[in-house]
Amino acid sequence: MVKPAKPPRQPRKAPVKAASGKPSQASSATPAKRAAKAGIAEQEQSQKKLLALFAAIEQSPISVAIADADANIRYVNPHFTTITGYSAAEIIGHNPRILQSGQTPKETYADLWGTLDRGQVWHGEFINRRKNGELYWEEAHVAPIKDASGNITQYVCMKIDITGRKRVETELLDKHNLLTSVINTSTDFIFVKDLGLRTVLCNEAFARALGRRPEELYGKTDIENGWPEELVKGNPGKGVRGYQQDDLAALGGRTIRNDYDPAPVHGELRVFDTVKLPIYGASGGIIGLLGISRDITDHRAEEQLTRKLLQQTRALTRHMFDIQEEERRKISRELHDELGQWLTAIQAEAQAIESVAARTSPSVLSSTRSIKQCAESMHEVIHRIVHNLRPALLDTLGLADSLRELERQWCQPRLGISCEFLLEGDLVNLSDEMKITLFRVVQEALNNIASYAQANHVSVHLRRVVGEPADADAILLSIEDDGVGFDTGQKFRGTGLLGMRERVIAAGGEFDLNSAPGQGVRIHIRLPVKLAWEEDYERW
């Protein structure tokens, strides 16, 4: 290779001296040299920036590809080859369509080139195919590069693999669709509100009540969605608890149940049983509330009808017992007054005959005395019948003395059962119905024990308790024995227990029986002193 000739040597000039006689540094470099030196420094700085930018692209976790004006790939970074599976040699020179899977909509490509032709940056998503045939999602940002004349010379594409994100989004969407399908099949009202009491989710049943679609209700409060302001804010005069009151309580962390929650549905006011509970976010704080409302209008109507029928049945049963007691009273009075007088007369006549026969006819004396004994026995039998039909003490001295008479009878050694009666509280100021109910229950229970229990001991505990408010006063009665017991899952033997239960329920009380084979019988009864039927009422 011929080397170029050196330029002719220039004669040296004497340096210009400064005032001090030394050469000047400012004059040691010409303006051209200084400009060249500055240009070199600027070029070096630009080169450093380019190297840094290239290193960043090469090491970037984002796929980068550069294509020419004909869309043929001229550069890809290492991450591009990692994601696609193609090496740089396999991909450079090819059109990006080599990555197409056929599953990206054609409209996406039309939008891509339309945007780039206008000189704008395009953003979108592709479903591409790796070299091994595997599909993957990419989020792409494609920008046109222009020269000084404004002509597009290159395209730069940066892409992020979002396959994992898409998988999660698909799973979330599937779960959302499943949840939406589930709540939309429910006839209950299901809704979610945020901290501002705005509806953010609801099912179709909830929206249909307002004649809307669910999405039309989102982001709005109840009043904005058309619920009556009176129901939203409440109406104490009608006993209506406002929706907002329960909402705020739920946002405060409480689970609220409102079994009388009125709401208009297709122009008709219906009653709902509503439950509201707080929704907690990932950080543990409350982010909203969930509400579920069930229409119980028809159920409440059925309950009211059932309650009325039950009241009528109980009233009829009480009336039947009243008639029964009145008949017993009449029979008792007739036995005592009519038959008792005739027996007394027979006894008097027998006594007279006995006096005469003793002097005149000893043979008649024996028969007369037999008649007299029969009359006395019949008198005792009638006395017991009268007592069972209607204890005289119950009408004269009251319940306590009547029960003590029962205790006296039961404590006789011939029965072989020890008895314990405990009476507490005011048992005087009770209604006649209450007195006869308690007496008959105790009487029937003792008869059952004597007939079936094979018990050695029985205890009767009767007491009056004072409640709050005053009309909550009640009578508590417990009857227990240590007999053979029975399986309560089987039908009751006889009608004694059923009759006791019917009496108690007819009087508005509660009847509880516990027993098991070999464990005796325990009966617990609660009777309200003042019978107050629950009144049916409508607040709307």
Side-chain angles (χ1 to χ4, degrees):
M1 181 179 291
V2 180
K3 296 182 179 180
K6 294 182 179 180
R9 186 169 183 169
Q10 300 293 329
R12 296 181 64 183
K13 294 182 180 180
V16 181
K17 294 184 178 180
S20 60
K22 297 181 179 181
S24 172
Q25 293 180 353
S27 62
S28 63
T30 63
K33 288 182 178 180
R34 291 197 298 272
K37 188 175 181 179
I40 293 172
E42 183 177 354
Q43 193 175 29
E44 289 177 350
Q45 187 67 24
S46 297
Q47 189 174 11
K48 288 180 180 180
K49 290 182 179 180
L50 288 173
L51 289 173
L53 177 61
F54 179 74
I57 293 174
E58 284 283 296
Q59 300 174 31
S60 173
I62 297 175
S63 297
V64 179
I66 299 176
D68 58 22
D70 295 325
N72 295 316
I73 298 174
R74 296 304 176 192
Y75 168 82
V76 293
N77 71 341
H79 192 70
F80 183 98
T81 64
T82 300
I83 294 299
T84 64
Y86 291 97
S87 66
E90 291 174 316
I91 202 75
I92 290 176
H94 290 277
N95 190 282
R97 70 172 60 93
I98 192 176
L99 300 174
Q100 290 182 8
S101 65
Q103 297 191 24
T104 302
K106 294 181 180 180
E107 293 78 9
T108 301
Y109 296 112
D111 181 58
L112 164 68
W113 289 110
T115 302
L116 294 177
D117 289 343
R118 293 192 298 270
Q120 299 173 349
V121 178
W122 180 85
H123 308 279
E125 296 177 354
F126 296 123
I127 305 176
N128 284 336
R129 190 183 301 276
R130 308 185 205 274
K131 182 180 178 181
N132 62 5
E134 179 184 345
L135 297 177
Y136 69 102
W137 281 84
E138 283 188 314
E139 179 183 321
H141 302 263
V142 185
I145 305 300
K146 301 177 183 179
D147 59 15
S149 302
N151 298 317
I152 296 175
T153 60
Q154 291 178 313
Y155 298 98
V156 176
C157 178
M158 293 179 289
K159 299 185 290 183
I160 302 173
D161 187 343
I162 59 171
T163 307
R165 190 184 79 189
K166 280 293 184 179
R167 184 182 302 113
V168 172
E169 288 178 354
T170 301
E171 291 175 356
L172 291 176
L173 181 60
D174 290 343
K175 291 180 180 179
H176 176 269
N177 291 336
L178 176 62
L179 175 61
T180 302
S181 298
V182 169
I183 67 174
N184 281 335
T185 57
S186 174
T187 57
D188 295 344
F189 289 179
I190 302 176
F191 54 90
V192 175
K193 296 180 182 179
D194 61 17
L195 296 177
L197 301 184
R198 294 178 292 267
T199 301
V200 296
L201 178 68
C202 69
N203 65 343
E204 292 178 354
F206 181 87
R208 280 197 302 268
L210 294 167
R212 310 275 187 84
R213 295 191 303 275
E215 55 271 18
E216 294 178 313
L217 306 180
Y218 297 160
K220 300 176 183 178
T221 64
D222 287 339
I223 293 178
E224 290 172 340
N225 280 329
W227 295 110
E229 183 175 354
E230 183 181 33
L231 299 181
V232 174
K233 297 184 177 180
N235 188 328
K238 293 183 178 179
V240 177
R241 209 162 68 200
Y243 302 161
Q244 287 184 354
Q245 179 181 346
D246 290 345
D247 289 348
L248 295 175
L251 292 179
R254 296 167 55 197
T255 297
I256 301 299
R257 171 92 181 262
N258 185 353
D259 61 358
Y260 188 87
D261 202 17
V265 179
H266 305 304
E268 177 187 1
L269 197 66
R270 309 286 290 180
V271 179
F272 290 81
D273 184 355
T274 300
V275 176
K276 294 179 180 178
L277 60 157
I279 299 175
Y280 294 89
S283 62
I286 295 175
I287 60 174
L289 68 92
L290 168 67
I292 303 175
S293 297
R294 173 162 295 180
D295 191 337
I296 58 171
T297 308
D298 298 335
H299 180 66
R300 282 177 64 90
E302 293 174 357
E303 281 187 339
Q304 290 176 352
L305 178 59
T306 302
R307 190 182 304 117
K308 288 180 180 179
L309 293 175
L310 179 60
Q311 291 175 5
Q312 292 173 0
T313 301
R314 289 180 175 178
L316 181 61
T317 303
R318 287 163 54 209
H319 183 62
M320 180 190 69
F321 283 128
D322 289 343
I323 294 175
Q324 185 182 71
E325 290 300 327
E326 183 60 29
E327 290 299 318
R328 285 182 172 184
R329 185 183 290 108
K330 289 180 180 179
I331 295 173
S332 174
R333 186 181 301 115
E334 290 180 2
L335 286 174
H336 181 272
D337 295 344
E338 299 294 333
L339 188 56
Q341 289 180 7
W342 282 107
L343 286 173
T344 301
I346 292 173
Q347 285 178 306
E349 291 295 333
Q351 182 68 37
I353 295 173
E354 182 182 13
S355 299
V356 175
R359 296 192 306 270
T360 61
S361 179
S363 61
V364 177
L365 180 60
S366 177
S367 298
T368 303
R369 287 176 177 174
S370 296
I371 293 173
K372 183 180 177 182
Q373 289 176 355
C374 288
E376 290 175 352
S377 298
M378 289 179 64
H379 205 293
E380 291 179 1
V381 170
I382 290 173
H383 178 75
R384 287 198 302 270
I385 293 175
V386 168
H387 179 75
N388 289 331
L389 287 173
R390 183 71 181 185
L393 291 177
L394 196 61
D395 293 326
T396 56
L397 299 180
L399 176 64
D401 288 329
S402 298
L403 292 177
R404 290 191 182 97
E405 176 63 18
L406 273 180
E407 179 185 11
R408 185 188 63 79
Q409 295 175 7
W410 267 76
C411 287
Q412 294 177 11
R414 64 182 177 83
L415 293 175
I417 303 176
S418 63
C419 301
E420 176 187 3
F421 276 61
L422 179 59
L423 309 179
E424 295 181 288
D426 180 12
L427 301 178
V428 176
N429 297 311
L430 299 174
S431 66
D432 290 341
E433 181 182 2
M434 174 68 73
K435 292 176 184 178
I436 195 63
T437 297
L438 291 170
F439 180 83
R440 292 303 184 197
V441 167
V442 174
Q443 185 182 49
E444 188 62 44
L446 295 178
N447 288 337
N448 283 344
I449 293 171
S451 301
Y452 307 111
Q454 303 177 31
N456 297 314
H457 179 78
V458 60
S459 65
V460 178
H461 186 191
L462 179 65
R463 64 191 178 101
R464 180 172 181 172
V465 294
V466 179
E468 286 291 340
D471 59 2
D473 289 2
I475 298 293
L476 303 182
L477 173 62
S478 297
I479 305 172
E480 301 183 11
D481 69 66
D482 60 354
V484 295
F486 63 94
D487 183 359
T488 57
Q490 298 179 354
K491 291 184 177 180
F492 295 152
R493 290 178 293 177
T495 59
L497 287 173
L498 290 176
M500 293 163 57
R501 183 176 180 274
E502 288 176 1
R503 277 189 178 274
V504 172
I505 294 177
E510 302 168 7
F511 183 93
D512 182 51
L513 183 145
N514 293 285
S515 183
Q519 298 184 17
V521 178
R522 293 165 299 282
I523 297 174
H524 300 286
I525 294 169
R526 183 184 186 280
L527 287 170
V529 172
K530 181 180 180 181
L531 185 61
W533 296 107
E534 180 181 355
E535 296 293 336
D536 293 334
Y537 64 92
E538 294 183 1
R539 285 174 280 187
W540 285 85

